[in-house]
Amino acid sequence: LLAGRIAELVRSGEAQAGEIVVLLRALGDMPVYESALRQRGLQTLAGVGGFWSHQQVGDLLAWLRALANPLDELALYSTLASPLVGVSSDGLALIARTARERSSGVWKAIEECAGELEALLPVGDREGVAAFRELFGAERASAPLHSIAELLRRAIAATGYDTHVLSLDWGERRLANVHKLLGMARAYEAKEGREPRGFLDHVAHLEVALAGREAEAPVGDSQLDAVRLMSIHAAKGLEFPVVCVADLGREPNLRSADLLVDPPRARLGLRLRELASPEPRSALDFEQLREEGRAAQEAEEDRVLYVACTRAENRLLLSGAVAFESWPAVRPGTAPIAWLAPALVPDAPGLAASEAPPKGAINVELGGDLSVRCLFHTPSSSENLGRPRAAEVDSGPAAPPPSPAL
């Protein structure tokens, strides 16, 4: 629904794709929104976190891990299953069974059991494994002679991986991420040397210790014609003509641990479980520490939401799913959309609770050339996709009412 509204703004000329950003509290949902936007024919650019999630980056890192250590069977299986080799699931199972029967590693089984595997594997897998055996063996032998980037480039050239990537949807952008990985390898070598394992440790640090905050590679003038997706944290200090704050139906996690500690004031709280009662019992300063922690977390969530909303220069879209029957009750841990929509459109709770929520857009004039446009969606009005009821609030310059369809 949000992707459809963005596509409508672009089609109508009210905004260019490159002027729009989708902000998310959690990066785990980014691929969902990226996919929805691309289904609407819009290019996307993941400003944070998108790079490491791309399959092509994972394929090439798996090849490098296997090359550095053929005993890394997860890397070997990942490489065999990837388009670099293209072995089927049945083929992988047969290779695994052969290795298990011989009590050997996967690479050793592939290397030493050519005849046995040839008899077992389907024709397509047989050819792929044979080509892999020859290429991988030669690359392992010559690996010390080549830089990390060169090892990756040789694998890409030998397998035609670049051609495969370009044949995919948004292939140019995917290939740009491949080239970005090669550039990262060259930059690492310039400072630290050409040891593949060192580079892989460096990559693991970037993915885990830095929470994967790595932007996708831009393609030409992609920033001018692509909708950007990024975390709210990454958008701090930036401004965009159109800001979409998504996933506002997500309720913050206010659960507390069983042990709470306040070192500065030497306070301790415990929640104890007893055999005689299913309900835990609070002890010491647990209740007070829990309430203080919840209050601090709620304040932080409000601050993050404020940062997200104030990134917008001209138009702000607020989107999220919420149970209509919970409106207008506001309680600790309430999803932001549950109080934002009623605050901006006072009639929202009553309209949402009615048997037939409005099908078209509700426009509320705020004065000063500002207006709020509100749309309600239910499973039946969302093409029976089984989505929860949702509300979207679009705050922007006063304009003629847009199409009722999101």
Side-chain angles (χ1 to χ4, degrees), residues 15 17 22 60 111 113 175-176 181 208 215 243 261 263 273 283 295 307 312 320 331 333 358 384 403 405:
V22 176
L60 293 175
E111 195 175 27
C113 306
L175 190 60
L181 181 64
V208 179
V243 169
V261 181
R273 299 184 182 275
V307 168
R331 54 178 173 76
N384 296 317
S403 166

Side-chain angles (χ1 to χ4, degrees), residues 75-228:
L76 265 175
Y77 282 125
S78 298
T79 299
L80 290 168
S82 75
L84 289 162
V85 184
V87 178
S88 67
S89 298
D90 288 344
L92 293 175
L94 291 170
I95 293 171
R97 188 181 73 180
T98 302
R100 186 170 58 251
E101 289 174 350
R102 289 181 165 268
S103 299
S104 66
V106 177
W107 168 239
K108 189 174 182 181
I110 293 174
E111 195 175 27
E112 297 180 356
C113 306
E116 184 177 344
L117 286 174
E118 186 173 340
L120 287 173
L121 295 172
V123 176
D125 289 342
R126 188 186 311 158
E127 295 173 352
V129 170
F132 171 74
R133 181 190 304 113
E134 182 178 351
L135 174 63
F136 192 75
E139 289 299 293
R140 286 203 68 229
S142 64
L145 304 177
H146 304 295
S147 67
I148 303 168
E150 183 66 11
L151 289 173
L152 294 173
R153 192 198 63 77
R154 288 166 62 88
I156 292 168
T159 60
Y161 191 71
D162 50 350
T163 303
H164 161 77
V165 171
L166 283 173
S167 71
L168 301 174
D169 291 339
W170 313 99
E172 187 179 358
R173 183 175 302 283
R174 296 174 189 270
L175 190 60
N177 285 313
V178 170
H179 290 309
K180 176 171 180 173
L181 181 64
L182 297 179
M184 293 176 71
R186 285 190 289 268
Y188 174 85
E189 293 163 8
K191 293 183 178 180
E192 305 293 341
R194 56 168 58 181
E195 173 54 49
R197 292 184 186 180
F199 176 66
L200 291 169
D201 288 343
H202 173 67
V203 165
H205 169 74
L206 294 178
E207 289 188 85
V208 179
L210 300 181
R213 294 192 291 269
E214 186 67 43
E216 282 190 279
V219 181
D221 294 332
S222 62
Q223 295 196 32
L224 300 177
D225 59 7
V227 177
R228 280 171 284 193

